[in-house]
Amino acid sequence: MTALFRPAALPRSRVVAAVGALVTGLVLAVLPVPPAATPAAAADGSAVTVTGKQGKYDDFSGLKVTVHQTKNLRTQGVRVTWEGGAPTTTDTALWTDYLQIMQCWGDEATGPTREQCVYGGSGIPLPGTGVDGRSLPVGSDPDETQYTGPGAFVPFRPAGDFPPTTTPNDKTYFGPLDTNEQPANRTFAGGEGETTFEVQDGIQAPHLGCGLNTAPAGATPVPRSCWLVVVPRGTHNADGTDVTRPGQDGTIDGSPLSTTNWAQRLVVELDFLPVDEFCPAGQPERPTAGSELATDAVTSWQPKLCTSTGSTFAFTQGGEEPARGQVQATTAETPVLGFTVDPVAPTKGAPKVVHAPVAVSGLTVAFFMESASGVVQEMKLTPRLVAKMLTHSYVKDVTLADAPDHLAGNPLFFNQDPEFKALNPEFPALSGQPTSLMVPLTSSDTTRLVWNWLQSDQEARDFLSGQADPWGMKVNRYYKDMDLAAATSLTDFPKVDPTRSPALANGEPALTYAVTDLDPYTADLHDGALRTRRGNNNNVVKWEPGNNAPPKLANEVPLSGRHAVMAIVDTASAERYGLKTAALRNASGAYVLPTTDTLTAAVGRMRPSAVDATVLAPDPALATGQAYPLTAVAYAAASVDQDAKARQAYARFIRYAAGAGQTPGLSAGELPPGYAPLPTRQRTQARTAADALERGATATDPGSDGSDSGGAGGTDSGTGGASSGADTGGASTGGTGGAPSATPVAGAAGGSTAPSAGPQENVAETASGVTPKDVLGIVRWVLLVVLFMGGAAGLSGPIMLRLAGRRSP
């Protein structure tokens, strides 16, 4: 699919189990994402605080709720905090004093009505939701006069010309896998609470239409505003019953949409960025395609590109290998600009290809886990711990039943692993059972980067080869003979354990689930981030009877307050949804978070690829000091065998990407959070590549104009947060294994220490940032490239681009 698209008409009906088709459509919207330092917090001063009021039965006048970003929104995470509330009881048999949060559309002047709010789709049997959250049982609210009688419910009336729902269980517009409602948010001791709410724009949720133009044709566009509605619940039901008194069940009942409960709502207006078409009609459309690492950057740049370059650049997300195939198959009649991490291999007799660096980002392990005291904030991971997760070596990553023989003696969950507990001694007890580490189905250069990180660590290699860790845990035997410790072409995450287990609450006929049911693949990196934000990995392990249909496996929806999920995602998606990320151990033994400084430091330690010296090869073994080990650079690759107008258009794209497109920010055309600005050398290299592309000639050695490919160690200062070439702390002594838990976390407050030696320690740099050793290294790599190009057999023939997109199949 392309990132440049039009909102489609919403279908009238769907199967809830297939709601995943909507889960990731939002990413291809064309405007930017939330802030970086605190992803779900506003950077533009748009935070709004609202205060509760005295209710008919409960007093909420001390409650203050703050929505930390209310302007320039798109589909993203928004941080919501509150204070002055009554603490929620922690006993799961007693539910009182919590907040229910939902997104609504409505009239610009009067705000939303209860019919305009997304609520009742979660299917979670929590207090206040009933079976569906929109039903109003007879007598449950004496003040209810509009919807009364047996079977009464509050219908959902969508924006636009779509019809309202007709039953309380109508999932036409939202269901368990795509609703963003939050039925029960706990208030902790001290009366404070916090959540990150997923707001949805008109691309992700046409039934809300947030950001869609509401002005008449020809008038100045007016994006539709929406609202965040918070309904506080106390200790009384809508009929006045105090559920904490003797003889009562201690559980708040009834929908937040009933008249009495709705009267207590707190409302905050949300202003969304436009999501309608923004490119002038009739101008040439230029196709671009490739790496997901470029997606958020390209979709942010599109509005500015199409209004300043005279071309509309459509983007199709897919794997890097198909993109390289398209670039090699380019002709004058089939132009394309591809995005890749690894270079396009030169082929004898084929047209030359230029590579221009356009985006610095990487992968991370993002998580959303809740304890009795709130959301877990920190986690450290070693390569061996991640190897255990990726090989399903923890019992509950394979089955929810008893341990199978081949996993006997292994810990049930990662947080019960002695290695994890020694590294994270203050990690709290989780309220729910953690799920497996979610990984994408798609094949990618970035997947190989993860395996390279594991292979660069002796402990992880030993474990993958079958050697037990110091506590006796062994790799899942089904992975032992896959050569995961040494294979050089791993571009996917295999799930090979054949174990089948009886479905939860199994009935007749008996149903069983497999590993891929318990731990489904994500559609892509962004989908993993979205599922993590929602706290649901979309497993199907529960026996569900059918209504006039065969029984089936269904999703075991986690209860609010018991979320425990994590996934491998890209840094831009983690920032977009306000996810916590794990500090990963790098080659120096430092535990490093992905930040602008640590991503930039990693670029400074990369070396030229053996395939093409103008491309930096990501190498976790070189990630020393403060360098983040899963950093990668996305390159725009283009063949010179294109017509002059296409080459000129793509050259303009590259110049914008390497220029104004590297300005960090939230507005259209800027670099979204989760990316580090290109260092000076890479910007110069991109401009050189653009010039060569426009001329129709191969790019010259980037060092010929006083710059280089950036593979010579450190990076210039003053480039949007880039650090100098010398290490600035965060490293600890020791090699790739056994680093103590006291090792500081790079990027964290107080985490800096004096630099120490590591596997690839940098030496002092010259004023230009290039050392004599680096110069020799560049010469060596260039010679190797010349030899390689002479005898390499490249890819041949066009490779069709897989329509991976940011939307589930």
Side-chain angles (χ1 to χ4, degrees), residues 170-555:
D170 189 338
K171 309 300 183 187
T172 297
Y173 303 108
F174 47 89
L177 299 184
D178 62 353
T179 184
N180 61 352
E181 67 195 76
Q182 295 187 355
N185 289 283
R186 290 188 177 190
T187 299
F188 296 97
E192 299 178 344
E194 178 175 345
T195 188
T196 298
F197 187 89
E198 177 204 340
V199 296
Q200 299 176 345
D201 65 19
I203 300 299
Q204 171 70 8
H207 49 280
L208 290 171
C210 310
L212 291 174
N213 182 27
T214 59
T220 301
V222 178
R224 184 194 302 279
S225 293
C226 281
W227 282 263
L228 196 71
V229 173
V230 179
V231 178
R233 306 300 294 271
T235 61
H236 294 80
N237 283 328
D239 61 2
T241 301
D242 185 344
V243 301
T244 65
R245 295 180 66 85
Q248 299 298 320
D249 62 5
T251 301
I252 291 292
D253 296 315
S255 170
L257 305 181
S258 75
T259 294
T260 298
N261 295 328
W262 181 251
Q264 300 304 120
R265 68 193 181 278
L266 290 76
V267 181
V268 176
E269 186 172 4
L270 305 174
D271 291 335
F272 281 76
L273 292 163
V275 296
D276 296 89
E277 297 177 29
F278 47 79
C279 289
Q283 66 182 16
E285 181 172 309
R286 309 293 181 183
T288 69
S291 178
E292 184 174 4
L293 292 189
T295 299
D296 274 10
V298 172
T299 52
S300 176
W301 298 334
Q302 280 177 319
K304 291 296 184 180
L305 285 166
C306 72
T307 55
S308 63
T309 66
S311 296
T312 297
F313 294 95
F315 175 71
T316 302
Q317 180 184 295
E320 293 88 359
E321 185 64 24
R324 289 191 288 268
Q326 280 195 316
V327 170
Q328 284 195 315
T330 300
T331 67
E333 290 75 30
T334 58
V336 72
L337 183 70
F339 297 97
T340 184
V341 174
D342 294 341
V344 178
T347 302
K348 186 176 182 180
K352 302 299 183 181
V353 173
V354 300
H355 293 88
V358 293
V360 175
S361 62
L363 301 189
T364 185
V365 176
F367 60 92
F368 174 29
M369 299 183 181
E370 296 173 304
S371 69
S373 59
V375 176
V376 178
Q377 302 293 316
E378 297 178 354
M379 180 192 300
K380 293 179 182 178
L381 293 175
T382 65
R384 182 167 59 192
L385 283 168
V386 175
K388 294 174 179 180
M389 297 174 185
L390 293 179
T391 56
H392 288 80
S393 295
Y394 296 110
V395 174
K396 297 305 180 183
D397 288 354
V398 171
T399 178
L400 299 177
D402 295 335
D405 292 342
H406 63 282
L407 294 178
N410 282 6
L412 298 180
F413 303 101
F414 76 88
N415 59 330
Q416 296 180 6
D417 186 338
E419 179 182 4
F420 180 86
K421 292 193 289 186
L423 185 62
N424 299 274
E426 298 181 359
F427 196 82
L430 299 177
S431 299
Q433 294 183 348
T435 60
S436 304
L437 176 64
M438 291 184 283
V439 295
L441 175 63
T442 53
S443 176
S444 174
D445 294 351
T446 55
T447 300
R448 182 166 53 249
L449 174 59
V450 175
W451 289 113
N452 288 348
W453 175 52
L454 305 187
Q455 293 166 349
S456 70
D457 181 87
Q458 185 64 52
E459 293 177 346
R461 288 200 305 273
D462 289 344
F463 181 82
L464 292 172
S465 299
Q467 181 175 319
D469 74 2
W471 300 271
M473 181 177 176
K474 292 185 177 181
V475 69
N476 184 328
R477 73 179 183 209
Y478 293 106
Y479 291 84
K480 183 178 178 181
D481 298 326
M482 296 186 68
D483 195 29
L484 298 178
T488 59
S489 58
L490 291 169
T491 59
D492 63 347
F493 295 107
K495 296 179 185 289
V496 297
D497 192 311
T499 302
R500 298 199 69 88
S501 306
L504 298 183
N506 211 354
E508 294 295 337
L511 299 177
T512 61
Y513 63 84
V515 167
T516 50
D517 298 313
L518 176 64
D519 177 28
Y521 282 107
T522 63
D524 52 29
L525 297 169
H526 173 267
D527 183 31
L530 183 57
R531 294 192 200 179
T532 303
R533 177 71 279 149
R534 293 174 177 172
N536 187 355
N537 76 341
N538 292 4
N539 63 33
V540 282
V541 296
K542 183 175 64 175
W543 191 92
E544 183 177 85
N547 295 322
N548 300 319
K552 63 181 180 180
L553 291 173
N555 180 228

Side-chain angles (χ1 to χ4, degrees), residues 106-135:
D107 182 83
E108 187 71 30
T110 60
T113 67
R114 51 185 174 164
E115 294 85 359
Q116 295 168 322
C117 294
V118 171
Y119 195 84
S122 68
I124 300 175
L126 280 176
T129 67
V131 175
D132 50 71
R134 306 191 76 93
S135 292

Side-chain angles (χ1 to χ4, degrees), residues 506-673:
N506 211 354
E508 294 295 337
L511 299 177
T512 61
Y513 63 84
V515 167
T516 50
D517 298 313
L518 176 64
D519 177 28
Y521 282 107
T522 63
D524 52 29
L525 297 169
H526 173 267
D527 183 31
L530 183 57
R531 294 192 200 179
T532 303
R533 177 71 279 149
R534 293 174 177 172
N536 187 355
N537 76 341
N538 292 4
N539 63 33
V540 282
V541 296
K542 183 175 64 175
W543 191 92
E544 183 177 85
N547 295 322
N548 300 319
K552 63 181 180 180
L553 291 173
N555 180 228
E556 179 72 359
V557 181
L559 298 178
S560 180
R562 300 178 64 82
H563 298 115
V565 294
M566 58 181 171
I568 292 178
V569 308
D570 60 296
T571 53
S573 294
E575 291 283 0
R576 176 179 186 147
Y577 290 107
L579 299 174
K580 307 301 180 184
T581 57
L584 305 181
R585 194 172 73 195
N586 71 4
S588 289
Y591 290 86
V592 187
L593 292 167
T595 67
T596 295
D597 286 343
T598 62
L599 292 170
T600 305
V603 175
R605 284 152 180 76
M606 293 178 184
R607 296 293 179 263
S609 165
V611 175
D612 188 315
T614 65
V615 174
L616 295 178
D619 188 350
L622 301 179
T624 58
Q626 284 190 322
Y628 182 69
L630 297 185
T631 302
V633 181
Y635 287 82
S639 169
V640 298
D641 187 23
Q642 305 185 63
D643 67 76
K645 291 184 178 179
R647 286 187 282 105
Q648 183 181 58
Y650 290 136
R652 289 174 177 171
F653 181 108
I654 293 170
R655 293 188 187 105
Y656 181 90
Q662 294 302 311
T663 303
L666 305 178
S667 298
E670 295 180 332
L671 188 69

Side-chain angles (χ1 to χ4, degrees), residues 651-717:
R652 289 174 177 171
F653 181 108
I654 293 170
R655 293 188 187 105
Y656 181 90
Q662 294 302 311
T663 303
L666 305 178
S667 298
E670 295 180 332
L671 188 69
Y675 291 96
L678 284 173
T680 301
R681 293 183 182 85
Q682 279 67 45
R683 298 191 196 200
T684 301
Q685 179 190 350
R687 290 191 292 269
T688 300
D691 293 344
L693 177 62
E694 187 168 5
R695 291 194 307 268
T698 182
T700 58
D701 178 0
S704 63
D705 63 354
S707 63
D708 62 20
S709 67
T715 56
D716 289 346
S717 60

Side-chain angles (χ1 to χ4, degrees), residues 162 777 779:
F162 305 120
V779 172

